[in-house]
Amino acid sequence: MLNMDFSKKVVVRTTEEEWVPSPAGGVLRKPLAREEAERGHATSVVRYEPGASFKRHEHPLGEEILVLEGVFSDETGDYPAGTYLRNPPGSGHAPFSKEGCTLLVKLHQFDERDQSTVRIDTRNTPWLPGIGGLEVMPLHEFEHEHVALVKWPAKEIFQPHRHFGGEEIFVLSGEFCDEHGRYPAGTWIRSPHMSQHHPFVDEETIIWVKTGHLPIEAH
């Protein structure tokens, strides 16, 4: 068990973490949250070395991937950095990477009714105007769960707010800040149901953000 108490805020600066070997040769991981060794709820940064592959496996409750670097592949196609993928509950694949890649991966965290397959190239998808100076790129929503990229212009300050159903952030570029700390690129932040903060940035910053998906009743 790792970071499975959803009532607590978790901050991991992944650039400071060590890579841990996976069962597949050439595939390394930085675990962020994990229920069991190779089953159940898991959030990780995953690195495929050039030519690495993972044997075919199923996703009983789905898989969510954001390609951070390189090109990730499976039998459905090749997905370069900036691609957002969702493989629904009950799907399976045999992933590999010819040139190597780094991914943010979330396993076994979907509602079983959320059967959407998603493939979005965020580098060729338009930004939409958000609140204040923010720009938003919606990626997925299902009931209370919302996933998006958010671009913050330099010196932007957002209103204080609470997160119904929690919030999860991965800082892609720049440095995200709030009254609790400063979070450089590569930082993963998970904040519980009804947590509150007052975020801001000094430099242009892009974050991946998911809200509304964490347990309302803390485990």
Side-chain angles (χ1 to χ4, degrees):
M1 297 274 283
L2 173 67
N3 293 330
M4 289 298 292
D5 183 347
F6 296 105
S7 69
K8 293 182 178 177
K9 180 177 179 177
V10 182
V11 177
V12 180
R13 289 171 173 80
T14 67
T15 58
E16 300 172 6
E17 299 293 307
E18 297 293 325
W19 291 104
V20 178
S22 80
V27 181
L28 306 171
R29 296 189 289 219
K30 294 182 177 184
L32 305 178
R34 182 168 289 276
E35 188 173 4
E36 295 182 49
E38 296 300 327
R39 301 176 47 192
H41 179 114
T43 299
S44 312
V45 176
V46 178
R47 187 177 83 196
Y48 282 67
E49 294 178 344
S53 62
F54 216 98
K55 67 177 189 282
R56 181 176 172 84
H57 57 277
E58 312 303 316
H59 306 125
L61 279 179
E63 177 184 54
E64 182 175 19
I65 294 172
L66 181 63
V67 184
L68 303 174
E69 299 173 355
V71 179
F72 172 75
S73 303
D74 64 14
E75 53 269 54
T76 67
D78 300 316
Y79 304 104
T83 308
Y84 176 73
L85 306 97
R86 289 177 76 96
N87 297 313
S91 64
H93 65 164
F96 62 93
S97 181
K98 290 179 182 174
E99 67 175 59
C101 64
T102 305
L103 317 169
L104 175 67
V105 180
K106 296 177 67 61
L107 294 170
H108 209 80
Q109 298 175 40
F110 290 14
D111 187 298
E112 60 188 12
R113 296 168 297 136
D114 183 359
Q115 288 290 324
S116 298
T117 297
V118 178
R119 304 283 187 268
I120 297 174
D121 179 356
T122 67
R123 297 195 172 178
N124 290 296
T125 300
W127 292 95
L128 305 177
I131 296 172
L134 299 184
E135 294 180 84
V136 179
M137 187 185 300
L139 300 175
H140 184 70
E141 62 178 68
F142 182 81
E143 295 186 347
H144 300 296
E145 178 180 329
H146 294 267
V147 189
L149 298 186
V150 181
K151 183 191 291 185
W152 294 64
K155 305 300 183 185
E156 184 73 10
I157 301 173
F158 197 70
Q159 62 213 31
H161 60 281
R162 287 190 183 276
H163 304 122
F164 185 91
E167 179 186 58
E168 199 169 336
I169 286 172
F170 193 87
V171 183
L172 297 173
S173 65
E175 184 182 55
F176 184 71
C177 310
D178 64 15
E179 69 271 37
H180 308 300
R182 303 178 76 92
Y183 314 102
T187 304
W188 177 70
I189 309 156
R190 194 184 69 203
S191 301
H193 172 59
M194 296 310 288
S195 56
Q196 180 174 326
H197 69 159
H198 189 186
F200 64 94
V201 300
D202 291 331
E203 59 185 284
E204 182 180 276
T205 297
I206 298 176
I207 62 173
W208 173 91
V209 60
K210 181 193 291 237
T211 59
H213 62 300
L214 296 176
I216 293 171
E217 301 274 337
H219 289 185

